[in-house]
Amino acid sequence: MQYFVVMIDYGRRGREAVVDPEITRREVISRVTSGEYQNISFIHEIVDNSVEDVTETILAEAALPRIAPEEVDLQAIRLDHARDLRKHERT
């Protein structure tokens, strides 16, 4: 049997371990990427009688891709924002 334990730290409110035998590695990565799992203390993968700390691996896989600054079109962003502001003007 294989499952994951995700320990979430809520600070002064305590900690919570999310343990669900139905959840897959892909689902854990998806939840980390979406922000459902935040403030993660650790992620352990349990297979039969062994425990492996996979925190760094899963966080690396869930990392959002970096967009180089030269690929961002600031003028288009500014024009989109101006258009959005015009939508709310009274005529």
Side-chain angles (χ1 to χ4, degrees), residues 67-74:
I67 299 174
E70 58 270 2
E71 294 178 20
V72 177
D73 187 357
L74 297 177

Side-chain angles (χ1 to χ4, degrees), residues 54-65:
V54 293
T55 308
E56 294 300 321
T57 308
I58 297 234
L59 291 178
E61 289 180 35
L64 297 175

